[in-house]
Amino acid sequence: MSAKPIEGRTTAAAEGEVVVFLIGMRVNSFTAVRSWWPVTRAMGPMLAELSRERGSGLLGYKALLGGPREVYLVQYWESREKLLAYAVAPDRGHRPAWAAFNRRLREGRGKVGFWHETYVVPAGSYESIYMNMPAYGLGRATGVVPVARRGERAADRLRV
């Protein structure tokens, strides 16, 4: 069951720069389970590792379906430095998962696709509003505050 909605209008409590990281996979051949199933399973342990460690930099994430072939995650990070540090850390889950994925990608000959995009969003260059929603997206990652605290209009909340 989902979280209880917060009545009224709220906005994300985020302050400062926010890094939005999108990562996903596409199943190009459903019959090639050996190519795509390990890719599907690899993300869970990494998210668990990052969620357990408060200083990891991962603020929150949401898993989404992009149709029957695509699965992706929207991740919110504290900084680009922490995202990049996790990606290259030799003692963390990403490096071995990435190496295994690259092997499977070469062996699978196009049976599974992969993509990611990273956006560094400066302070004042993002805004959000949630109406009668549980904490969601950036608001779930950073907490929510009443809209009035940041401004009633989107233009007020987008202070560049």
Side-chain angles (χ1 to χ4, degrees):
M1 180 168 226
S2 64
K4 184 177 186 224
I6 301 166
E7 201 170 312
R9 299 179 337 139
T10 59
T11 188
E15 294 184 12
E17 179 180 279
V18 172
V19 177
V20 180
F21 182 64
L22 308 175
I23 184 168
M25 63 164 274
R26 182 180 192 276
V27 176
N28 293 329
S29 172
F30 285 111
T31 59
V33 176
R34 288 177 44 190
S35 292
W36 58 263
W37 183 247
V39 176
T40 304
R41 291 181 3 141
M43 189 57 73
M46 286 186 277
L47 291 171
E49 175 182 57
L50 287 161
S51 296
R52 277 192 308 271
E53 191 177 312
R54 283 219 184 272
S56 70
L58 180 68
L59 299 172
Y61 63 91
K62 177 77 174 171
L64 300 163
L65 291 174
R69 294 183 177 274
E70 297 177 28
V71 177
Y72 65 101
L73 289 162
V74 177
Q75 297 180 2
Y76 300 96
W77 285 78
E78 188 177 305
S79 70
R80 72 184 100 192
E81 292 80 15
K82 289 194 175 187
L83 170 63
L84 295 172
Y86 180 72
V88 299
D91 59 336
R92 307 297 296 277
H94 179 263
R95 290 281 301 270
W98 181 244
F101 170 74
N102 278 309
R103 280 192 304 278
R104 280 197 171 71
L105 197 64
R106 284 189 299 276
E107 294 165 2
R109 296 188 176 95
K111 305 275 190 314
V112 63
F114 164 83
W115 61 274
H116 80 252
E117 299 172 354
T118 307
Y119 302 94
V120 178
V121 188
S125 295
Y126 55 87
E127 74 86 29
S128 61
I129 190 165
Y130 312 101
M131 292 188 274
N132 302 322
M133 287 284 296
Y136 193 85
L138 182 60
R140 182 172 180 190
T142 64
V144 295
V145 296
V147 164
R149 191 178 298 177
R150 292 275 168 84
E152 292 295 331
R153 300 176 317 126
D156 297 332
R157 295 186 299 275
L158 280 172
R159 289 179 289 250
V160 180

